[in-house]
Amino acid sequence: MKTKKLINSGADAVDEMLEGILAAHPEHLYAVDDMPRAIVAKNGPRNGKVGLVIGGGSGHEPTFLGYVGKGLADAAAIGNVFASPPPDPIVACAKAADGGAGVLFMYGNYAGDVMNFDMAAELLGLDDIEVRTVLTTDDVASAPPEQGNKRRGVAGNVFIFKAAGAACDLMYSLEDVERVARHANSRTYTMGVALSPCSLPQTLKPNFLIGEDEMEIGMGIHGEPGVARGPLRSADEVTDQLLDGILGEMGAAEAGDRVAVLVNSLGSTPMMELYIMMRRVKARLEDSGLLIHTSLVGNYCTSLEMAGASITVMHLDDELQELIDHPCDCAMFRK
């Protein structure tokens, strides 16, 4: 059975989406000339500031485009749906973001992204632009702790990018921005649940199958297999299962420690259900002695129209709290 989408054609969906985003947010964004997949913040790059370039496949909006703006990312390279951008728009983004202090690449830990961003970094080296890279690996379900370098980057990107972007805006050196990004990544934990599949614009067919009374814990944002499939359970039970995985990873957290929390829709899960989950998150974290410093609820890292949700917890310290609180003004996210 085909799914229904408000598109003109699957082949044009990404480029037409970008045209619409630029039309909606002209005060925040522009595209590099002759490079429509390289989107730059109008008020982001400046001389002497480290440039932050993010990017990845389409279909996860508002990730990545929504986090381009002053105080966060300076540019985003955009690929096809669930596919890495090629090196050319990444290079264009870096050149637009370069203020003479170097450029940091940040993106989720996926093989295609690693290959193309690494190629772009080599090309930029020929132009004497220093590039460093930090991969996000917050998905605790995607690999065991001893293989943390194999984990995927998912909704925790929001907090990790936020911390790094604030460090850039505060004129940290490239070395310190890289340190902050790695530190933020190491203290950010995400786990999700899928209830139904999504469908690609080109195929209009579900990209995986799941029973009408089933859920899958730990499924990736491209439909990668999770860690357990079983009967759909109540919101409190699902939230507890996700938090059990997250809190087990945090380990060293102590009573009174502060956290930032994100309850994220994977696309079609409505706000009602997310707030029901947030209610349980608050109760569980308070029972653990943790203090919620800030919380986000809504669509922040989606998978087209997939039903499901993820929970992210960032374990704050004084530096990360300051960076999370630092103002930013992006097309789809403001602090």
Side-chain angles (χ1 to χ4, degrees):
M1 185 179 73
K2 285 191 174 183
T3 57
K4 298 176 182 178
K5 293 184 183 292
L6 287 172
I7 59 175
N8 294 309
S9 76
D12 297 331
V14 173
D15 291 321
E16 291 184 351
M17 172 190 71
L18 293 176
E19 288 182 36
I21 286 172
L22 293 175
H25 304 287
E27 72 280 13
H28 287 95
L29 304 172
Y30 72 92
V32 174
D33 290 342
D34 300 320
M35 194 68 66
R37 300 289 184 94
I39 307 299
V40 184
K42 281 194 171 178
N43 298 315
R46 61 185 186 270
N47 288 336
K49 187 181 84 70
V50 173
L52 178 59
V53 174
I54 61 176
S58 300
H60 306 301
E61 292 73 31
T63 297
F64 296 87
L65 291 162
Y67 308 125
V68 176
K70 187 178 187 325
L72 221 155
D74 294 293
I78 304 303
N80 289 328
V81 175
F82 295 176
S84 169
D88 286 352
I90 302 171
V91 169
C93 283
K95 288 183 176 180
D98 178 35
V103 174
L104 182 69
F105 284 169
M106 292 189 74
Y107 52 90
N109 185 23
Y110 300 95
D113 292 302
V114 171
M115 179 178 68
N116 287 339
F117 274 86
D118 282 354
M119 289 175 61
E122 291 181 13
L123 293 169
L124 290 161
L126 299 176
D127 289 331
D128 295 323
I129 297 175
E130 183 178 3
V131 175
R132 299 195 185 183
T133 297
V134 175
L135 306 181
T136 59
T137 57
D138 57 295
D139 185 357
V140 301
S142 56
E146 62 271 17
Q147 298 178 19
N149 63 326
K150 296 182 179 179
R151 287 179 168 174
R152 303 180 291 243
V154 287
N157 282 340
V158 179
F159 289 141
I160 302 166
F161 293 166
K162 176 71 183 69
C168 292
D169 197 48
L170 291 166
M171 305 301 284
Y172 285 26
S173 67
L174 180 58
E175 181 178 3
D176 276 341
V177 171
E178 180 186 13
R179 174 190 59 79
V180 162
R182 294 191 186 281
H183 181 56
N185 182 64
S186 73
R187 293 173 69 96
T188 303
Y189 313 89
T190 301
M191 199 163 181
V193 59
L195 309 183
S196 73
C198 60
S199 60
L200 304 185
Q202 297 90 335
T203 66
L204 298 180
K205 293 182 179 180
N207 65 339
F208 63 88
L209 298 176
I210 188 168
E212 61 181 23
D213 295 319
E214 288 185 318
M215 65 178 189
E216 184 156 348
I217 297 290
M219 177 168 283
I221 56 174
H222 307 105
E224 299 96 338
V227 293
R229 181 176 289 203
L232 178 62
R233 306 180 76 178
S234 71
D236 283 359
E237 290 173 304
V238 172
T239 302
D240 284 346
Q241 190 168 355
L242 300 182
L243 280 175
D244 286 345
I246 289 169
L247 295 176
E249 288 274 334
M250 287 179 63
E254 299 177 357
D257 281 4
R258 295 148 292 160
V259 295
V261 172
L262 166 62
V263 179
N264 170 64
S265 171
L266 291 176
S268 67
T269 298
M271 296 297 290
M272 174 185 284
E273 296 169 31
L274 300 179
Y275 280 118
I276 290 171
M277 294 178 72
M278 181 65 208
R279 154 195 159 276
R280 182 64 173 178
V281 169
K282 181 175 186 290
R284 279 291 308 276
L285 294 180
E286 287 180 346
D287 286 345
S288 299
L290 298 173
L291 304 177
I292 298 177
H293 173 70
T294 190
S295 56
L296 303 174
V297 179
N299 285 34
Y300 287 87
C301 181
T302 62
S303 183
L304 296 170
E305 79 274 32
M306 186 186 293
S310 64
I311 297 171
T312 298
V313 177
M314 173 184 263
H315 187 187
L316 299 173
D317 56 19
D318 289 343
E319 181 179 41
L320 289 176
Q321 180 172 316
E322 177 186 354
L323 296 171
I324 290 297
D325 288 347
H326 185 73
C328 68
D329 182 16
C330 303
M332 306 172 204
F333 181 69
R334 295 172 181 83
K335 179 71 176 180

